[in-house]
Amino acid sequence: MMGHYNAVEHDIPALQTFASNYRPIHGYLAAIVCVLGVLANILNIIVLTRKNMISSTNIILTGLAISDGLTMAFYLPFALQMYVIYGSITSAERDTIHTARYTLTYAIASVVLHSISIWLTVTLAVFRYVIVRFPRIGAQYCSKQKAKTAVVAVAVIITIVCIPNSISYEFRSRSDQIQSSNTSQTGGTIWFIDVRNGTYADVVLAKFNFWIQAVIVKLLPCFLLTVFSILLVRTMQDAEKRRKKMMTKRSVADGETEPIGSGTTSKRARQSQRTTRMLVTVVILFLLTEIPQGIMNLLSGVIEDFFHLIYTPLGDLLDILALINNGINFVLYCSMSKQFRDTFLSIVCGCFPKMAERRKMQTLPTSMVTEGL
């Protein structure tokens, strides 16, 4: 049942002022973020698909990089057309039928791709929790082949789930009124897309699509990500406690102590902890951008005029936050994963032999010291 939003008169101009001030710079900022984000996700794919990097976790991360990269690639022409080339003001020159067609393509593709990204992040959290919490079960049910199957399944299922959204739009047009000092005249036709509402079936489809987008695409994955983030953090804490308990002291000639267990096992445990921390960070960043959108999507459906009065003025801000989140993973991987960083550097050095020689000379003393230990 629809509610009624009683807008406070002086609150709305503040949002409108923010939207008006930010809109002129949004297109330029979004274009820069998209270009850098697409390049970053291409690098993610290149590194994550190296032979030494292939694992169930990295297979899912590769799928995430593909969906994030495509989302940003679709947004770039939209940002250039609607904000940069012709400005952010509606006009017949900017809002042609060709622009409307691409906007429809972008609207459909972005929802599908972004939804795939969200559910791949959920899949990633589930896989990592099972691997860390139940190693034996994880080895059986979270294998590389299972990860590939999961990525394909998420892509197919989400595409099917988003079909109602894909058929909910239609093209509409209106005359562009150009205001002069004394009169207004028609300056052409403005084309745009809007939600179908001409028949009862269209209204039912729109409501059905709203609940799919609000619950299945936004709120449910956010809830699951929150739960598995908490579980992963608790699992890491429990593993650290168990590791400390297993470190018993034994007598040695000089009176020092040593932990039981090989250095290889300890190194593997630390690497697993670092990987889990990195993935928890990825999940938390996703939550920071998705939870506000999920809540606002839900309020838009249950509170009258909330979408036009609150959500729409904040739309550009929410878009840029989502785009930054789509492109930031490369920075996280490089800063938090030594294996990813080393693999990336080896690829770069392979393209620049002189750089490879300098890196080899720098790492040689370090490796000699490590072997001496």
Side-chain angles (χ1 to χ4, degrees):
M1 183 176 180
M2 295 289 290
H4 181 69
Y5 178 72
N6 294 316
V8 180
E9 195 70 22
H10 59 79
D11 283 343
I12 300 173
L15 287 178
Q16 295 297 336
T17 300
F18 167 79
S20 299
N21 291 335
Y22 174 69
R23 190 177 296 117
I25 66 173
H26 172 74
Y28 297 93
L29 183 59
I32 294 172
V33 171
C34 285
V35 170
L36 296 177
V38 169
L39 293 175
N41 280 293
I42 290 174
L43 292 175
N44 286 341
I45 296 169
I46 293 173
V47 175
L48 293 171
T49 53
R50 297 299 93 182
K51 288 184 178 180
N52 66 306
M53 292 291 293
I54 295 177
S55 66
S56 58
T57 296
N58 288 348
I59 288 171
I60 300 173
L61 288 176
T62 301
L64 183 62
I66 293 172
S67 57
D68 283 347
L70 288 175
T71 300
M72 303 181 87
F74 271 102
Y75 195 91
L76 179 58
F78 174 79
L80 293 176
Q81 175 74 11
M82 302 300 288
Y83 295 91
V84 177
I85 299 175
Y86 297 103
S88 58
I89 306 301
T90 301
S91 66
E93 183 182 20
R94 187 194 74 169
D95 299 283
T96 64
I97 182 61
H98 302 293
T99 301
R101 287 170 180 163
Y102 184 80
T103 301
L104 179 60
T105 302
Y106 159 73
I108 294 172
S110 63
V111 170
V112 174
L113 291 168
H114 191 61
S115 302
I116 289 174
S117 294
I118 295 173
W119 279 100
L120 283 179
T121 307
V122 175
T123 305
L124 180 66
V126 173
F127 264 62
R128 194 62 196 173
Y129 174 71
V130 174
I131 290 172
V132 175
R133 183 68 179 83
F134 310 102
R136 293 183 181 179
I137 297 177
Q140 180 180 358
Y141 292 100
C142 298
S143 63
K144 298 174 186 177
Q145 186 57 46
K146 292 290 197 307
K148 293 178 182 178
T149 303
V151 171
V152 174
V154 166
V156 172
I157 293 172
I158 292 301
T159 302
I160 295 173
V161 168
C162 289
I163 287 177
N165 179 72
S166 303
I167 61 176
S168 294
Y169 302 105
E170 65 180 357
F171 295 110
R172 293 184 183 177
S173 63
R174 61 180 174 83
S175 298
D176 183 19
Q177 299 295 324
I178 301 177
Q179 301 291 334
S180 61
S181 57
N182 299 319
T183 62
S184 63
Q185 57 184 356
T186 301
T189 302
I190 292 176
W191 288 89
F192 59 97
I193 63 170
D194 202 355
V195 178
R196 298 176 185 271
N197 59 5
T199 65
Y200 177 75
D202 290 337
V203 175
V204 171
L205 177 63
K207 290 183 177 180
F208 178 66
N209 179 54
F210 159 72
W211 286 109
I212 288 178
Q213 296 299 314
V215 177
I216 297 180
V217 174
K218 292 291 184 182
L219 296 181
L220 179 59
C222 285
F223 171 75
L224 293 175
L225 285 174
T226 302
V227 170
F228 280 102
S229 296
I230 295 172
L231 291 175
L232 274 171
V233 171
R234 291 185 60 181
T235 301
M236 284 194 301
Q237 292 174 343
D238 293 341
E240 183 64 18
K241 290 179 182 178
R242 288 196 303 269
R243 188 185 69 84
K244 289 181 179 179
K245 287 181 180 180
M246 291 177 63
M247 294 186 66
T248 60
K249 296 180 179 181
R250 66 178 181 180
S251 299
V252 289
D254 57 2
E256 294 182 355
T257 60
E258 293 180 355
I260 293 178
S262 66
T264 303
T265 303
S266 179
K267 182 180 179 180
R268 188 181 299 115
R270 289 195 300 270
Q271 183 177 346
S272 177
Q273 287 281 74
R274 285 196 298 267
T275 300
T276 303
R277 289 193 188 96
M278 180 188 72
L279 299 181
V280 168
T281 304
V282 171
V283 170
I284 290 175
L285 288 177
F286 234 98
L287 286 172
L288 290 176
T289 56
E290 294 303 322
I291 287 180
Q293 289 193 46
I295 294 174
M296 293 180 71
N297 275 345
L298 183 62
L299 294 177
S300 297
V302 299
I303 299 178
E304 186 178 351
D305 293 333
F306 183 91
F307 179 82
H308 297 289
L309 296 175
I310 306 297
Y311 192 98
T312 299
L314 296 175
D316 290 341
L317 176 63
L318 295 174
D319 280 350
I320 196 65
L321 291 177
L323 290 172
I324 292 173
N325 183 61
N326 287 344
I328 202 173
N329 284 348
F330 176 78
V331 177
L332 292 178
Y333 301 160
C334 281
S335 61
M336 302 184 71
S337 173
K338 185 177 185 301
Q339 185 183 16
F340 184 95
R341 187 167 57 250
D342 289 345
T343 303
F344 171 67
L345 290 175
S346 68
I347 294 173
V348 173
C349 291
C351 298
F352 302 96
K354 291 184 178 180
M355 183 182 295
E357 292 179 5
R358 287 198 300 268
R359 184 166 182 264
K360 185 177 180 181
M361 294 299 296
Q362 291 173 355
T363 57
L364 183 59
T366 303
S367 62
M368 291 175 63
V369 172
T370 303
E371 290 175 2
L373 296 175

